[in-house]
């Protein structure tokens, strides 16, 4: 038996603790209500986590599509492991010399990732040239170099802060119970890494695909999102000047994205600071020349604007904004589902730290 593999025994998979069985699974609709009622408070933590994660991807892989292909294959291998009731901790998984990935056809990858087959074939060749994967016929192995590149230590720290803050708000509800410290959330993610992080992959892959479908490419989405992050900060500062609790009740999820997008459209916000191309390139790790090219594309779509200081803002104009707002609501629902899965694992399963 491989000592680096942790196995579920039958008793672990189905706990004999009567108190555990008396607890109902947490309802994602209840989680969604709390998320919606506390958007300003919670989104800054979620955004920080997502921004760091996407920036690190581009810094390491220089290509979002390439990483999505890799992420999908890794996620599938983790699902195969769970079918055998086994999982790895973060250190155990990333210390392996290489990982055999499941045999998946180009057609399956293409259909599920919305990427042309020839593009996927090309990305696999590029990954092999970079020594991130090794291929033996149809069999693909994830190399140690790839494992080192994608160990998400900082991302787990950041997402743990978000879960802690959300759990504090949820602890006011009888059905949730006590809040969870960020250190404990981090321990769960690290000890049961291929279980917990696979839930994140299953959320994140469709999340990225939906945004890519709207923007045409993920670089454009990330650039647009960095402008949104800047305006989110401005929105938070405006609310801090008044009554943040009262405003949170008014700013439900339906209005949140609309407020961020349209901040620069009102005369009252003419003096607000935008973000320039160099700052976006530095934060996102996307080359400045690419950032400028994508900004020009977004300007043509009229969903952003530029001031005399060459700072960029989101606007409420342009046909794409209808799709953006609809997709935001879909994403909020899926964030609630992901969060619920994680809290159910921590609070309602037999997994212990």
């Amino acid at each position: 038996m491989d000592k680096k593999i942790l196995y579920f025994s039958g008793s672990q998979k189905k706990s004999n603790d009567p108190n555990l069985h008396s607890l109902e699974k947490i309802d994602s609709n209840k989680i969604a209500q709390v998320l919606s009622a506390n958007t300003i408070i919670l989104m800054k933590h979620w955004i920080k986590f997502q921004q760091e994660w996407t920036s690190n991807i581009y810094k390491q892989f220089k290509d979002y599509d390439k990483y999505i292909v890799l992420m999908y294959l890794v996620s599938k291998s983790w699902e195969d492991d769970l079918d055998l009731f086994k999982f790895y901790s973060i250190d155990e998984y990333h210390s392996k010399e290489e990982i055999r990935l499941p045999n998946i056809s180009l057609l399956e990858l293409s259909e599920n990732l919305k990427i042309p087959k020839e593009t996927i074939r090309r990305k696999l060749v590029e990954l092999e040239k970079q020594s991130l994967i090794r291929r033996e016929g149809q069999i693909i192995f994830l190399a140690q170099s790839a494992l080192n590149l994608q160990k998400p230590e900082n991302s787990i720290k950041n997402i743990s802060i978000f879960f802690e803050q959300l759990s504090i708000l949820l602890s006011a509800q009888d059905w949730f119970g006590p809040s969870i410290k960020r250190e404990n959330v981090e321990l769960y993610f690290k000890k049961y890494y291929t279980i917990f992080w696979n839930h994140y992959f299953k959320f994140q892959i469709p999340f990225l695909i939906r945004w890519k479908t709207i923007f045409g490419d993920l670089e454009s989405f990330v650039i647009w999102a960095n402008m949104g992050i800047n305006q989110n900060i401005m929105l938070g500062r405006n609310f801090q000047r008044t009554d943040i609790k009262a405003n949170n009740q008014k700013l439900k999820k339906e209005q949140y994205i609309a407020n961020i997008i349209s901040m620069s459209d009102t005369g009252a916000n003419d003096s607000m600071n935008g973000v320039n191309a160099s700052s976006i390139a530095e934060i996102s790790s996307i080359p400045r020349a690419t950032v400028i090219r994508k900004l020009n594309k977004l300007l043509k779509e009229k969903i952003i604007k530029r001031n005399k200081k060459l700072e960029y803002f989101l606007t409420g104009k342009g046909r794409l904004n209808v799709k953006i707002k609809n997709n935001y609501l879909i994403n909020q629902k899926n964030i609630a589902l992901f969060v619920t899965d994680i809290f159910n694992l921590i609070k309602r399963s037999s997994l212990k730290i």
Side-chain angles (χ1 to χ4, degrees), residues 87-101:
F87 59 89
Y88 299 89
S89 71
I90 187 170
D91 289 334
E92 290 164 343
Y93 185 77
H94 287 276
S95 67
K96 295 179 78 66
E97 291 185 5
E98 62 180 12
I99 305 287
R100 177 172 174 167
L101 299 176

Side-chain angles (χ1 to χ4, degrees), residues 76-94:
K76 283 292 185 182
S77 72
W78 289 347
E79 287 180 16
D80 290 347
D81 282 345
L82 285 174
D83 287 341
L84 300 173
F85 312 127
K86 68 181 182 181
F87 59 89
Y88 299 89
S89 71
I90 187 170
D91 289 334
E92 290 164 343
Y93 185 77
H94 287 276

Side-chain angles (χ1 to χ4, degrees), residues 98-146:
E98 62 180 12
I99 305 287
R100 177 172 174 167
L101 299 176
N103 295 337
I104 296 175
S105 69
L106 291 178
L107 179 61
E108 179 183 344
L109 286 167
S110 177
E111 290 179 347
N112 289 328
L113 301 180
K114 305 294 189 291
I115 300 173
K117 282 199 303 182
E118 287 306 312
T119 301
I120 290 173
R121 195 192 310 274
R122 188 172 69 252
K123 299 303 179 187
L124 290 172
V125 169
E126 291 171 7
L127 286 166
E128 190 171 20
K129 286 181 178 178
Q130 291 176 268
S131 298
L132 298 176
I133 64 171
R134 179 174 66 85
R135 292 196 286 183
E136 291 183 1
Q138 298 298 315
I139 302 172
I140 301 175
F141 295 89
L142 187 66
Q144 176 66 53
S145 54

Side-chain angles (χ1 to χ4, degrees), residues 12-77:
Q12 284 176 307
K13 192 186 177 196
K14 201 168 187 177
S15 173
N16 293 320
D17 184 349
N19 293 324
L20 187 63
H21 288 298
S22 68
L23 295 173
E24 291 185 2
K25 294 292 185 182
I26 297 170
D27 185 349
S28 65
N29 291 319
K30 292 180 178 179
I31 295 280
Q33 289 172 7
V34 174
L35 283 168
S36 178
N38 297 277
T39 311
I40 288 292
I41 295 172
L42 294 170
M43 284 306 292
K44 63 181 180 181
H45 300 294
W46 179 261
I47 285 170
K48 181 180 179 181
F49 153 66
Q50 283 282 76
Q51 185 181 49
E52 187 272 340
W53 187 78
T54 53
S55 173
N56 190 57
I57 288 174
Y58 206 91
K59 189 181 297 181
Q60 302 296 346
F61 291 86
K62 314 298 182 189
D63 187 320
Y64 289 117
D65 283 347
K66 195 184 298 182
Y67 186 72
I68 289 175
V69 171
L70 204 57
M71 185 165 47
Y72 184 87
L73 291 170
V74 169
S75 180
K76 283 292 185 182
S77 72

